Amino acid sequence: MKLDGRRESQNVDDRRGKGFGRGKASLGLGGVIVVGFIVWLLGGNPLDFVSMQLSEGGASVENYTRTPEEEQMATFAKRILAGTEDVWTKIFRERGKEYTPPRMVLFHRAVQSGCGNATSSTGPFYCSADQTVYIDLSFFSEMEQRLNAGGDFAYAYVIAHEVGHHVQYLLGTLDEVHRNQQRVGQVESNRLNVRLELQADFYAGIWAYYDNKMFDSIEEGDIEEGLNAASQIGDDRLQMESQGYTVPDAFNHGTSAQRSRWLKKGLQTGDITFGDTFSVDYSNL
């Protein structure tokens, strides 16, 4: 992506090196990241895993030193967040609404959010309780090394996806889905979550469409990076790789084909009205 000269968002709270707890995570940093990364990608609740880890000793941030590579990634994340602010402010304004951007918290190993304590194992997440996106920048290294899903546009897609959940919160979609999930069984709840995640993928595509239109930011190969990342984190692919078979009723983020399709739909149309994943028959998502 072409980001040189782009502004950095001021809605960022850099808490790297400011963890909590006195002990070390029981699995060690490597184990915590790997296991929690899998939990997040498979659609589980990483906070359950995090709570267990914290109860066994908390998280330590001792001997932490910021590397030049990490500083570059922090700058990248701030510029992408700024891009989402510009794009969604424009889209909301065109529809007679006001966009209130989320905050972003950068953390290392451990953080306290409005949704509870979390460690790196949680992966990037959006907390509607404090309207904040939380990211441990080491997650991007995990994407590249463990999923072969590297590249700046792939990382931008992850950030834009989480901001997409904030858009859902502002539009009332997030709360409505959560209320509906409390009234249905697990399978239907999972399906509602798939619809929610695919719409966030679509919103990530909408962001990319407008960001490129406003700043000429997309370079050759970028879209392929994003679609590859979306495909690599599909429920079917991850379940097959982890257990050798798939359980469709347990999907709650969407298949590789679905995630790629909805991201691509946002990228190609740039029209937010095409992102209604809740009216489409589930078999046609």
Side-chain angles (χ1 to χ4, degrees):
M1 295 187 70
K2 292 181 288 186
L3 298 173
D4 290 345
R6 295 275 295 272
R7 74 177 183 89
E8 299 176 19
S9 174
Q10 298 302 306
N11 292 311
V12 178
D13 181 4
D14 193 339
R15 301 184 196 172
R16 290 176 293 163
K18 300 177 183 178
F20 55 89
R22 296 180 180 178
K24 294 184 178 180
S26 59
L27 292 179
L29 176 58
V32 167
I33 290 178
V34 172
V35 176
F37 183 69
I38 295 173
V39 170
W40 178 82
L41 292 173
L42 290 178
N45 183 358
L47 292 180
D48 291 342
F49 172 76
V50 172
S51 297
M52 178 182 70
Q53 291 300 305
L54 294 177
S55 68
E56 295 178 359
S60 171
V61 293
E62 58 190 43
N63 301 322
Y64 168 65
T65 302
R66 299 181 182 185
T67 66
E69 293 77 15
E70 191 177 344
E71 290 302 283
Q72 290 178 0
M73 189 56 68
T75 297
F76 171 84
K78 293 174 184 178
R79 287 177 174 171
I80 296 300
L81 183 63
T84 67
E85 292 166 354
D86 295 336
V87 166
W88 287 110
T89 294
K90 172 182 173 60
I91 294 174
F92 270 55
R93 185 176 296 147
E94 289 175 348
R95 286 157 179 75
K97 299 178 181 293
E98 181 179 355
Y99 179 69
T100 304
R103 291 194 60 76
M104 174 186 284
V105 168
L106 303 179
F107 70 95
H108 173 72
R109 296 193 63 177
V111 71
Q112 188 169 18
S113 78
C115 296
N117 295 333
T119 69
S120 301
S121 62
T122 311
F125 66 97
Y126 172 70
C127 174
S128 60
D130 55 16
Q131 299 180 46
T132 301
V133 173
Y134 291 84
I135 297 180
D136 184 327
L137 297 173
S138 64
F139 181 82
F140 298 127
S141 296
E142 294 293 315
M143 284 181 63
E144 181 175 12
Q145 296 169 11
R146 299 188 179 279
L147 286 177
N148 192 29
D152 53 4
F153 190 82
Y155 308 147
Y157 155 60
V158 169
I159 296 172
H161 173 95
E162 298 305 332
V163 172
H165 285 311
H166 178 66
V167 172
Q168 291 172 323
Y169 169 76
L170 294 178
L171 296 178
T173 308
L174 199 61
D175 287 343
E176 182 180 358
V177 169
H178 289 164
R179 286 193 299 269
N180 289 337
Q181 285 177 313
Q182 295 173 3
R183 305 188 189 106
V184 299
Q186 188 60 55
V187 173
E188 185 57 32
S189 177
N190 287 343
R191 290 186 173 189
L192 284 171
N193 211 71
V194 167
R195 295 179 185 275
L196 198 67
E197 295 297 331
L198 294 181
Q199 187 178 68
D201 283 337
F202 173 81
Y203 286 161
I206 289 289
W207 160 76
Y209 174 92
Y210 278 99
D211 194 83
N212 185 56
K213 191 174 182 179
M214 295 166 68
F215 303 107
D216 190 28
S217 56
I218 295 180
E219 298 178 298
E220 184 177 354
D222 281 342
I223 293 177
E224 288 76 12
E225 287 177 0
L227 294 176
N228 173 62
S231 177
Q232 295 290 354
I233 58 177
D235 288 325
D236 52 342
R237 179 187 292 271
L238 292 168
Q239 285 190 4
M240 183 60 70
E241 289 181 353
S242 66
Q243 60 194 25
Y245 60 91
T246 63
V247 183
D249 283 347
F251 293 171
N252 66 6
H253 275 67
T255 65
S256 294
Q258 288 171 330
R259 301 202 68 170
S260 298
R261 180 160 57 248
W262 282 94
L263 172 61
K264 188 175 182 179
K265 189 173 184 179
L267 273 163
Q268 290 181 334
T269 67
D271 188 339
I272 192 174
T273 64
F274 289 174
D276 182 3
T277 57
F278 295 92
S279 297
V280 180
D281 186 272
Y282 190 77
S283 61
N284 294 327
L285 280 172

